[in-house]
Amino acid sequence: MATKARKKMTLNAGETYYRQFNEKIREAVDAGYTDFVLENVNSQRYIATGLIGDLRFLVKGVPGQDMGAFMRGPAIRVAANAQDGVGNTMDDGLVVVEGMAGDVIGYAMRGGRIFIKGDVGYRVGIHMKAYMDKLPIIVVGGKAGDFLGEYMAGGIILLLGMFSGKPDAPIAGRSLGTGMHGGVIYVRGDVPPEQLGPHLHTQPCDADDLKIIAGVVKDYAKELQVDAKKIMAEKFVKVRPFSHRPYGNLYVPA
């Protein structure tokens, strides 16, 4: 069976208002276009939000908030930095950011992968959740701000701390994993105990953990052209939830 030809389009964002720019993208998708180069992107919000299927985007410039929100399937590569809310509640797909990204990355995502080369801001991966057979994954190549993995309910966050513009900062900010009740956070190296959320601690990674990490690192290294062996040369620790109901003692029984 012959492979269906992909249709390519280049769109110039420039000073186009985000709503009109996204309308152009949707019209092109409806017309059968599958591969997009978005040039001169300058904070236009909601790029690829809600799109479904085998679509590919190369974003040249800095996209605005909520890029890839609610999407199910597309692959997005950003050849620069990205603002807040990347992959908000995304269901499936791939986002690769070749620079750094802002706050609330992967909020409530329940599937797909987000690979970021550099640092990220606050509350990355909060409310992440695995859904049925889906396993959301966020890899941060640099360092993270406060509340990484807050209220996390499923999935994997892998924090490398390698490609950072903040050499003197701890690998993660305050309250890492606060309220998490599912999923796992893997960290390359160590996490200072004072950076962890209440009642949390790190554990050494076992052979099964390292197998999972190596698989994720292989894909991450391929997408961002970094050395997987160098990443895996350091030890890893993991943070798991202390309870599936971390605030159960705050409620009065019925």
Side-chain angles (χ1 to χ4, degrees):
M1 185 176 178
T3 303
K4 185 178 179 180
R6 303 188 69 86
K7 294 180 67 176
K8 301 179 180 180
M9 174 178 283
T10 297
L11 293 172
N12 182 41
E15 297 182 1
T16 306
Y17 188 55
Y18 77 88
R19 186 171 296 167
Q20 280 71 46
F21 187 60
N22 284 311
E23 286 174 355
K24 289 181 179 180
I25 294 172
R26 290 181 178 279
E27 288 170 0
V29 170
D30 290 342
Y33 286 89
T34 58
D35 294 28
F36 296 85
V37 177
L38 308 181
E39 295 186 335
N40 299 310
V41 174
N42 183 22
S43 300
Q44 280 85 2
R45 292 177 278 175
Y46 308 127
I47 290 173
T49 286
L51 293 181
I52 299 172
D54 183 15
L55 306 172
R56 301 173 190 168
F57 294 87
L58 174 60
V59 179
K60 296 183 177 181
V62 179
Q65 296 175 347
D66 288 321
M67 181 189 71
F70 309 108
M71 76 175 191
R72 188 181 302 169
I76 305 173
R77 175 176 292 273
V78 180
N81 301 325
Q83 294 186 18
D84 303 339
V86 171
N88 177 355
T89 322
M90 68 182 282
D91 187 68
D92 199 3
L94 171 67
V95 178
V96 178
V97 178
E98 295 180 359
M100 59 185 182
D103 301 337
V104 210
I105 307 302
Y107 173 86
M109 66 182 290
R110 61 181 188 175
R113 298 174 295 165
I114 299 176
F115 294 163
I116 295 167
K117 175 77 177 287
D119 298 318
V120 294
Y122 300 142
R123 289 190 158 91
V124 169
I126 70 169
H127 291 294
M128 279 177 69
K129 59 200 71 176
Y131 177 71
M132 297 182 71
D133 61 341
K134 296 180 179 179
L135 183 71
I137 297 173
I138 298 176
V139 183
V140 177
K143 297 178 179 180
D146 298 344
F147 298 104
L148 176 70
E150 184 182 30
Y151 306 126
M152 188 176 173
I156 296 172
I157 296 176
L158 175 57
L159 179 62
L160 302 178
M162 297 177 68
F163 313 111
S164 175
K166 303 175 181 179
D168 298 324
I171 192 167
R174 297 177 296 111
S175 303
L176 183 151
T178 294
M180 68 182 295
H181 52 100
V184 60
I185 300 174
Y186 294 118
V187 181
R188 185 179 187 270
D190 286 308
V191 180
E194 63 271 18
Q195 304 306 114
L196 293 170
H199 311 294
L200 294 177
H201 63 277
T202 59
Q203 306 170 28
C205 288
D206 60 24
D208 290 337
D209 293 314
L210 292 175
K211 183 177 180 180
I212 292 169
I213 293 169
V216 174
V217 165
K218 180 181 178 181
D219 293 341
Y220 177 85
K222 180 180 179 181
E223 291 291 344
L224 286 162
Q225 299 297 297
V226 295
D227 189 343
K229 290 184 179 179
K230 185 175 181 179
I231 294 174
M232 295 302 299
E234 178 62 85
K235 73 170 186 177
F236 288 83
V237 296
K238 63 182 175 183
V239 179
R240 283 198 178 276
F242 64 92
S243 168
H244 72 286
R245 295 182 66 242
Y247 298 112
N249 63 337
L250 299 182
Y251 298 93
V252 177

